[in-house]
């Protein structure tokens, strides 16, 4: 039998199923008759809250941060929720006004709070309902039991099968014996998934009700990347997966061992490896993978998860949080890059024949100076709390850079009139993602402090291939010699004019491209955090000299087929 879910934490687990049945908390319907009972019930709640806080504090002090800080942060959130006056007030009101007993009051308050989170559009925030449920379960447990040592002991090589896991379940999991888990519910952003990933436990979520067919003791193979769960497979399949599992473990341990090593080629060229991020949590996560900063903060994520434009203050807090999490490491903040596939529900985009060639990114910002200047002021102010740089997207000509710089100067002039601190010497850069910008890199380099090559758009505009269109996806090919020539030219011109050149498009995270890009002279790569160790491994095992030869060979080839075949071969 084979089941399919979503792979949420990589690795392969081979073991026996342990099916966890969750007890649903039930309402009792008991009504309190006198005032003395009300006081007793409120007192019971206060005690349960205090015991719960102590339990979570103990979990925090026992937390092994070598397994990542995600679980730690989640537990701190639980302390905040358990101490939240709103929850306490709501429970107290249900007891004193509605005369409900404490059990029913807690169930109802938690249920309402969970609903509030679940209704949020943002996937991450709506997944936080699991935290509310988690503290609710804890409160209910502490209302009914005094047993505080209920951590279960499992047999070796156990794979947990359950409807859903709360963050606490996952954190307190006995990872000596639990080697994986599969859940009916949940997805990539559930806390259980995040913690599993940071602890290196393979996990599959969202398997649906089919998971109920698994019995205690069934032999399982769980694949944390593909999301497959195989039930009672034959010995030949088990043997095959043991080989895959061991190869994965060897690779993972190698990558872990180089996390804190600098990315320097064997002949001494230092390379900067940055992460592409969407918010402060991503920044923190990225440091765990050895990122030396961020080469791209996509600020549109802040604009997307809401129903109105964020204010200067909202944005300031958001960028400041990122700057603080980066702990002095550089962060390139890209100004609003909306339009094309990135729509805002509250922003009236005109109907266009070709949105990717239309009113978008810097074009909107130069047209809607009110939006642009607000964002620039927020970035400048947050720059006082870390090393932020500002970057303009979708630049197609020199006038756009000059116009953007005039507005940046206006933003500084406005801030100068106040006494708020801001970064007066912020570095200014542009994305090179439109062919005209790449071809005039020599001219544009004189206007800015740095370039960042956006291969995702550069590829689509150079090849006239819509990056979102499945039907022509084979034509979307960054190894097309035309695209590679543009990239090489931008890097060359950047160096010639002594400005920094990085790359934040997806090609930066493709191991096939690493030597080629190094050979072209690229020294800053920005990518999804999880890709950093793999790219670093290539850098520290090769010389710049070899990379230059690879570049030379590639430039002599006439098709992307020949280029990719060659790059694959040298990487094998
Ligand atoms: C790019 O175009 O390469 C890029 C990094 O920007 P985005 O993917 O956000 O368009
Ligand atoms: Mg782009």
């Amino acid at each position: 039998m084979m089941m399919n879910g979503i792979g949420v934490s990589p690795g392969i687990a081979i073991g026996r199923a342990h099916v966890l049945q969750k007890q649903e908390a039930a309402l009792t319907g008991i009504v309190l008759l006198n005032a003395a009972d009300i006081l007793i019930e409120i007192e019971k709640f206060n005690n349960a809250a205090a015991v719960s806080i102590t339990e979570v504090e103990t979990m925090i002090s026992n937390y092994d941060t070598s397994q990542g800080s995600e679980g730690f942060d989640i537990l701190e959130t639980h302390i905040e929720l358990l101490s939240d006056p709103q929850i306490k007030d709501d429970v107290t009101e249900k007891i004193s006004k509605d005369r409900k007993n404490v059990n029913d009051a807690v169930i109802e308050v938690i249920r309402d709070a969970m609903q509030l989170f679940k209704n949020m559009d943002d996937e991450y925030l709506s997944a936080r309902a699991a935290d509310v449920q988690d503290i609710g379960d804890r409160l209910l447990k502490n209302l009914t039991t005094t047993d505080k040592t209920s951590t279960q002991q499992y047999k070796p090589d156990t794979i947990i099968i359950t409807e859903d896991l709360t963050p606490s379940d996952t954190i307190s999991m006995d990872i000596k014996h639990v080697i994986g888990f599969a859940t009916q519910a949940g997805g990539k952003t559930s806390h259980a998934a995040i913690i599993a990933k940071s602890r290196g436990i393979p996990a599959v979520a969202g398997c649906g009700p089919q998971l109920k067919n698994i019995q205690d003791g069934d032999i399982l193979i769980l694949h944390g990347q593909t999301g497959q769960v195989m039930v009672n497979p034959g010995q030949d399949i088990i043997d095959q997966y043991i080989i895959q599992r061991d190869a994965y473990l060897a690779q993972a341990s190698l990558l872990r061992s180089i996390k804190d090593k600098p990315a320097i080629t064997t002949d001494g060229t230092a390379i900067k490896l940055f992460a592409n991020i969407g918010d402060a949590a991503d920044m923190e996560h990225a440091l765990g993978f050895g990122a030396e900063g961020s080469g791209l903060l996509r600020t549109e994520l802040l604009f997307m998860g809401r129903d109105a434009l964020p204010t200067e203050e909202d944005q300031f807090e958001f960028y400041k949080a990122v700057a603080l999490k980066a702990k002095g490491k550089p962060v390139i903040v890209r100004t609003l890059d909306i339009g094309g596939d990135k729509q805002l529900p509250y922003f009236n985009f005109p109907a266009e024949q070709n949105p990717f060639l239309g009113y978008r990114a810097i074009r909107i910002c130069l047209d809607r100076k009110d939006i642009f200047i607000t964002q620039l002021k927020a970035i400048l102010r947050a720059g006082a709390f870390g090393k932020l740089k500002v970057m303009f997207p979708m630049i197609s000509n020199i006038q756009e850079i000059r116009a953007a710089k005039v507005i940046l100067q206006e933003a500084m002039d406005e801030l100068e009139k106040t006494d708020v601190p801001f970064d007066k010497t912020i570095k200014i850069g542009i994305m090179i993602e439109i062919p005209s910008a790449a071809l005039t890199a020599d001219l544009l380099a004189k206007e800015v402090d740095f370039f960042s090559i956006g291969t995702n758009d550069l590829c689509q505009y150079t090849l006239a291939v819509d990056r979102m269109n499945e039907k022509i996806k084979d034509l979307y090919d960054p190894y097309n010699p035309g695209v590679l020539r543009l990239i090489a030219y931008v890097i060359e011109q950047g160096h010639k004019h002594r400005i920094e050149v990085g790359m934040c498009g997806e090609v930066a995270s493709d191991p096939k491209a690493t030597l080629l890009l190094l050979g072209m002279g690229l020294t800053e790569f920005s990518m999804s955090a999880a890709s950093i160790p793999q790219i670093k491994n290539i850098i520290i095992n090769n010389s710049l000299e070899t990379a230059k030869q690879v570049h030379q060979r590639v430039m002599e080839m006439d098709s992307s087929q020949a280029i990719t075949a060659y790059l694959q071969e040298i990487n094998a």
Side-chain angles (χ1 to χ4, degrees):
M1 196 172 19
M2 159 97 103
M3 301 177 183
N4 283 301
I6 311 162
V8 294
S9 175
I12 293 170
I14 303 170
R16 285 195 186 269
H18 179 97
V19 182
L20 272 190
Q21 305 286 5
K22 284 223 158 183
Q23 289 290 342
E24 269 291 314
L27 293 171
T28 63
I30 297 170
V31 176
L32 306 175
L33 294 178
N34 54 50
D37 287 342
I38 291 175
L39 292 179
I40 292 169
E41 295 295 286
I42 292 176
E43 188 55 26
K44 277 193 209 161
F45 174 76
N46 290 339
N47 284 340
V51 171
S52 301
I53 289 173
T54 312
E55 280 178 3
V56 181
E57 278 171 351
T58 312
M59 285 168 83
I60 289 179
S61 51
N62 293 340
Y63 196 83
D64 177 2
T65 40
S66 68
Q67 293 169 348
S69 62
E70 287 84 354
F72 192 83
D73 296 344
I74 290 164
L75 291 172
E76 297 214 304
T77 314
H78 288 192
I79 298 266
E80 278 166 31
L81 284 169
L82 284 164
S83 330
D84 185 3
Q86 186 68 47
I87 291 185
K88 183 176 173 173
D89 289 352
D90 290 351
V91 170
T92 312
E93 192 176 310
K94 280 199 189 287
I95 297 173
S96 53
K97 284 218 182 103
D98 304 345
R99 304 227 156 204
K100 304 221 153 141
N101 69 81
V102 62
N103 175 79
D104 291 7
V106 169
I107 291 177
E108 288 185 8
V109 168
I110 293 297
R111 194 184 51 202
D112 293 349
M114 280 176 67
Q115 205 51 48
L116 209 73
F117 274 99
K118 275 191 182 152
N119 289 344
M120 292 185 182
D121 285 337
D122 183 282
E123 193 194 348
Y124 182 83
L125 286 177
S126 93
R128 299 296 70 83
D131 293 297
V132 178
Q133 176 172 25
D134 198 326
I135 62 129
D137 289 351
R138 188 174 293 286
L139 284 168
L140 289 169
K141 176 188 73 118
N142 287 325
L143 281 170
T144 51
T145 169
T146 48
D147 170 23
K148 296 178 196 83
T149 54
S150 59
T151 11
Q152 196 166 349
Q153 293 293 316
Y154 296 108
K155 293 195 186 116
D157 296 337
T158 293
I159 296 178
I160 301 281
I161 300 297
T162 180
E163 202 177 311
D164 203 359
L165 278 174
T166 64
S168 291
D169 291 336
T170 325
I171 290 169
S172 49
M173 205 172 259
D174 157 29
I175 54 167
K176 263 203 235 85
H177 296 135
V178 174
I179 56 162
F181 65 79
T183 60
Q184 287 184 43
K188 276 198 170 28
T189 47
S190 68
H191 267 153
I194 294 170
I195 298 165
K197 216 162 153 184
S198 73
R199 305 187 116 187
I201 307 174
V204 175
C207 297
Q210 55 177 351
L211 211 63
K212 287 190 188 141
N213 297 324
I214 296 179
Q215 314 278 331
D216 261 337
D218 278 346
I219 295 179
L220 303 179
I221 299 178
L222 183 139
H223 199 305
Q225 272 120 317
T226 63
Q228 289 169 325
V229 181
M230 286 161 250
V231 187
N232 295 323
Q235 191 58 45
D236 49 338
I237 307 241
I238 295 180
D239 291 344
Q240 236 170 298
Y241 276 90
I242 286 178
I243 296 173
Q244 277 195 38
R245 179 196 62 191
D246 293 349
Y248 174 84
L249 288 175
Q251 173 76 353
S253 113
L254 168 76
L255 296 183
R256 253 197 318 278
S257 72
I258 61 170
K259 182 183 139 259
D260 297 318
K261 274 197 181 167
I264 300 178
T265 61
T266 52
D267 46 0
T269 302
I271 304 298
K272 290 185 189 132
L273 295 181
F274 293 145
N276 293 348
I277 60 170
D279 59 18
D282 281 358
M283 186 68 249
E284 185 171 28
H285 182 66
L287 295 181
F289 281 97
E292 293 162 80
S294 168
L296 173 62
L297 166 62
R298 287 187 162 98
T299 60
E300 49 282 2
L301 296 186
L302 159 69
F303 285 70
M304 281 171 164
R306 50 201 307 133
D307 48 24
L309 282 168
T311 62
E312 181 184 321
E313 217 48 40
D314 291 339
Q315 294 191 57
F316 164 65
E317 291 298 340
F318 184 87
Y319 307 138
K320 178 181 159 189
V322 175
L324 292 176
K325 283 282 184 238
K327 302 197 172 93
K329 295 188 164 69
V331 176
I332 297 181
V333 185
R334 181 173 74 183
T335 57
L336 195 54
D337 184 22
I338 46 169
D341 57 324
K342 298 172 197 158
Q343 299 285 319
L344 300 180
Y346 52 87
F347 189 88
N348 230 345
F349 286 96
E352 291 180 303
Q353 291 268 358
N354 291 302
F356 275 102
L357 302 180
Y359 188 62
R360 54 174 305 193
I362 194 71
R363 299 167 185 180
I364 297 180
C365 288
L366 294 178
D367 182 46
R368 289 288 308 271
K369 196 172 143 190
D370 55 325
I371 297 178
F372 197 33
I373 204 160
T374 306
Q375 180 172 40
L376 292 173
K377 279 159 71 180
I379 296 170
L380 287 165
R381 286 174 55 198
F385 295 86
K387 196 170 166 194
L388 300 187
K389 304 180 184 187
V390 65
M391 173 162 77
F392 307 126
M394 301 295 296
I395 293 291
S396 66
N397 62 51
I398 205 160
Q399 291 91 312
E400 286 167 340
I401 306 177
R402 290 179 179 152
K405 280 169 43 180
V406 168
I407 301 176
L408 181 67
Q409 186 56 52
E410 270 182 51
M412 290 199 188
D413 293 345
E414 282 186 24
L415 290 174
E416 198 72 68
K417 289 188 203 127
T418 67
D419 53 7
V420 290
F422 70 96
D423 183 356
K424 296 178 186 172
T425 57
I426 197 161
K427 294 269 186 274
I428 304 167
I430 54 169
M431 295 273 305
I432 301 281
E433 51 187 339
I434 295 181
S436 62
L439 289 164
T440 53
D442 55 329
L443 307 174
L444 306 189
K446 295 176 188 149
E447 292 286 329
V448 293
D449 300 307
F450 65 91
F451 288 155
S452 182
I453 306 172
T455 52
N456 308 342
D457 279 315
L458 186 62
C459 187
Q460 87 163 338
Y461 293 128
T462 305
L463 303 174
V465 176
D466 179 351
R467 65 194 254 195
M468 311 294 286
N469 190 335
E470 270 292 300
K471 215 166 176 166
I472 49 171
K473 68 175 187 320
D474 292 344
L475 286 174
Y476 182 88
D477 184 356
Y479 295 95
N480 175 294
V483 178
L484 296 180
R485 274 170 166 65
L486 287 180
I487 295 174
Y489 182 69
V490 174
I491 298 171
E492 178 199 311
Q493 289 304 318
H495 288 320
K496 198 161 155 195
H497 291 85
R498 300 188 182 286
I499 67 166
E500 287 173 3
V501 184
M503 176 179 284
C504 61
E506 287 306 304
V507 174
S509 65
D510 183 352
K512 266 202 313 301
T514 311
L515 286 181
L516 172 61
L517 295 171
L518 277 178
M520 288 178 179
L522 191 75
T523 49
E524 287 181 24
F525 294 62
S526 194
M527 63 195 81
S528 62
S531 303
I532 290 177
Q534 194 183 9
I535 300 300
K536 188 189 282 181
N537 194 36
I538 298 175
I539 292 168
I540 62 178
N541 284 300
N542 283 282
S543 68
L544 188 61
E545 220 27 64
T546 315
K548 281 183 182 163
Q549 285 161 17
V550 169
H551 174 214
Q552 220 165 26
R553 282 280 303 273
V554 165
M555 285 304 171
E556 287 158 7
M557 295 178 179
D558 61 5
S559 72
S560 90
Q561 284 76 5
I563 295 171
T564 38
Y566 167 64
L567 293 177
Q568 239 143 17
E569 186 194 308
I570 57 167
N571 257 305

